[in-house]
Amino acid sequence: MTAVDLRRSAVRWRAETGREPIPLIFDAPTGRLFTADARSDTVTVLRADTGELLARVRVGEYPSGLGYHPQLRRVYSGDTAAGTVSVVDVDSMKLIGTMEAELGAGSIAIDTRRSRAYVANFMMASVSVFDAETLQPLDRLPVGNGPCKVVVNPVTDQLYVANSLQGTIGRIGLSDHAAIDELPVERAPVGLSVSTDGRWLYVCNRGAGTVSVLDAFSGRELHRVRVDEAPGDCAVDPDTGRLLVSNAGAGTLTVVDRPWLPGPTPPAQHPLIGQRLPEFALPDAHTGQIRTTREWAEKKYVINFFASW
């Protein structure tokens, strides 16, 4: 795990976790960080200020999502391969319970107003709902294909679901679990974050290298922010309102100032970009043989283009 000083844009510390740490939870009262280590079947606990290892808690197989209930002092782990949810006590740093979900259980969102937990089941195109305190199952919600991330917006009283395999964001009412609509975004949406005022929804489109900015009330996509390769997830800095995007394909962190505003207009693209290559027949400079468009398409030879001015 890497801690970054946002004021200086510098790495503060690096600490060892289990293999393939995916999500992060910060508990302010204890100053502790929790991460699910998917390939180690553990939840690692670190000191947020120094990265000191405090505990490793054994959970279910391939934990790939975490949820946090600050009032109940619990962290919930979505155990993808096991189809379960493991519950860790934040203060004692010990496993205190396990409940059944469905295959592909991963991302977990908590509705603290009603003390309900929502688990995205990637393999089953569903969201499991359970009581966050008693762990009793409450409901099963059908959603789109490949639900990869769920987040709660307490301002709109809605649950958002990133359906990664169909490029949409599902909206569900928290009061009655009624499906509201599905909002199209770009390829492979896998990360979600809600602004601190509940007004904006940010969607990480891993397959497109962009973040879609949606109006949380209307659901309308306002613009897209170009980031780095394969953005996996994002979070909003509560102090500055800046959007922090982790780019899994590039190993970088993108910091976006005022992400609710569209950035500079991208340069105009030449109208021939993306069009088919025109038919041609040119002599090979080496052999004199006439080369054609078909040979180019079949990659039987290489053309060198030179520009002079």
Side-chain angles (χ1 to χ4, degrees), residues 30-186:
T30 61
R32 293 171 180 167
L33 286 170
F34 295 76
T35 181
D37 313 314
R39 294 180 59 201
S40 295
D41 303 339
T42 56
V43 168
T44 295
V45 189
L46 304 174
R47 278 189 54 170
D49 55 349
T50 64
E52 176 191 351
L53 176 64
L54 299 176
R56 283 217 175 101
V57 184
R58 177 69 59 178
V59 292
E61 190 176 356
Y62 205 89
S64 64
L66 291 179
Y68 173 56
H69 198 310
Q71 289 78 34
L72 293 180
R73 312 295 298 137
R74 291 178 176 181
V75 164
Y76 304 84
S77 166
D79 310 321
T80 300
T84 59
V85 174
S86 299
V87 186
V88 177
D89 182 274
V90 169
D91 298 306
S92 67
M93 298 179 290
K94 293 182 179 180
L95 183 69
I96 59 172
T98 304
M99 64 155 289
E100 293 294 324
E102 290 191 291
L103 190 61
S107 175
I108 300 175
I110 307 295
D111 175 11
T112 55
R113 184 186 306 175
R114 302 172 180 88
S115 202
R116 292 176 185 166
Y118 295 81
V119 188
N121 303 306
F122 184 87
M123 304 293 188
M124 305 303 292
S126 68
V127 169
S128 297
V129 189
F130 64 92
D131 187 294
E133 183 171 9
T134 67
L135 306 185
Q136 292 301 306
L138 300 174
D139 205 348
R140 180 187 186 275
L141 312 177
V143 294
N145 293 319
C148 214
K149 183 72 184 285
V150 285
V151 295
V152 163
N153 186 341
V155 177
T156 62
D157 206 32
Q158 293 174 357
L159 177 76
Y160 305 120
V161 185
N163 303 311
S164 63
L165 299 184
Q166 59 190 58
T168 62
I169 303 301
R171 293 198 295 175
I172 298 172
L174 289 172
S175 61
D176 55 7
H177 291 166
I180 299 170
D181 53 20
E182 282 199 28
L183 313 172
V185 287
E186 286 200 283

Side-chain angles (χ1 to χ4, degrees), residues 6 9 195 200 202-204 209-213 223-228 231 233-247 252-264:
L6 295 176
S9 298
S195 63
W200 315 108
Y202 303 109
V203 183
C204 293
T210 61
V211 174
S212 292
V213 181
H223 59 274
R224 292 169 185 169
V225 181
R226 174 66 57 182
V227 290
D228 217 332
D233 211 348
C234 56
V236 176
D237 180 352
D239 291 331
T240 63
R242 290 173 175 167
L243 185 68
L244 313 175
V245 185
S246 57
N247 304 297
T252 59
L253 178 72
T254 298
V255 181
V256 184
D257 190 29
R258 297 185 296 177
W260 56 90
L261 297 178

